[in-house]
Structure formats: structure tokens, C-alpha cells
Amino acid sequence: MSSKKLRNVYVAGKRTSMRLESAFWEGLEDIARMESLTLGELCNRLAERLGSVDASNLSSAVRVYVLEYFRAATPRQEEARCEMAIAAE
């Protein structure tokens, strides 16, 4: 898994540092672009939904949000498998 990158975003007018894996930063940027928002605007909306600007809570909320966003956009198939999935034997 890629290492975590620390980046600053402005949430509720305050600079907040979040440490996320590259894949989550990329996913967040993709979502912001698709929703015609800036990264800061998207993070603000997530912080409002969370009711907190605490960076650790926001980082966790971002990970869950990115996962849920792309899962909702992906059609379900019984045979679909992730390349990294490990089958239990």
C-alpha cells in the first residue's frame, strides 16, 4: 500500500492537515472534479456532515466517503473480484 501523504486543506476557514494514502487523495480529487467542487469545498461538506473539523476524524471520514462514493458508482456483480482480494480457503 502506498505511504500516507500529509496535505493541508482549509475547512471552516482553518487550515487542517490530513494524512491520507495517495489513492484516497486521488479519489477525493476525482470526486471533487466530478462534482464541480474544489478539494476544500468537498472537505468542508464532509466536515459539516461529520460535525467536526478534527483532522483525525476528518481523515477517517474521507476514507469512508471515497470508498462509499465509488462503491455506489460501481455496478454489483456476483463474480466481480478485486485483484488484491484474498480468498479464504
Side-chain angles (χ1 to χ4, degrees):
M1 170 114 342
S2 63
S3 64
K4 294 180 182 179
K5 293 184 181 179
L6 182 67
R7 289 182 51 184
N8 296 316
V9 293
Y10 282 88
V11 177
K14 296 180 181 179
R15 190 174 87 178
T16 302
S17 298
M18 287 195 303
R19 189 176 305 275
L20 297 170
E21 294 80 5
S22 297
F24 286 106
W25 281 119
E26 291 168 14
L28 195 61
E29 289 166 347
D30 289 345
I31 294 168
R33 188 172 34 260
M34 289 185 282
E35 299 295 330
S36 300
L37 298 168
T38 66
L39 193 61
E41 289 169 335
L42 182 56
C43 288
N44 266 307
R45 290 184 183 190
L46 291 171
E48 287 172 5
R49 183 164 44 155
L50 183 62
S52 171
V53 293
D54 177 76
S56 63
N57 287 340
L58 186 56
S59 295
S60 294
V62 164
R63 287 183 183 94
V64 171
Y65 174 76
V66 170
L67 176 64
E68 288 177 351
Y69 187 95
F70 288 109
R71 285 182 81 186
T74 304
R76 297 278 181 207
Q77 294 180 353
E78 293 298 320
E79 298 300 316
R81 303 214 188 269
C82 174
E83 288 179 19
M84 294 181 63
I86 300 171
E89 296 187 30

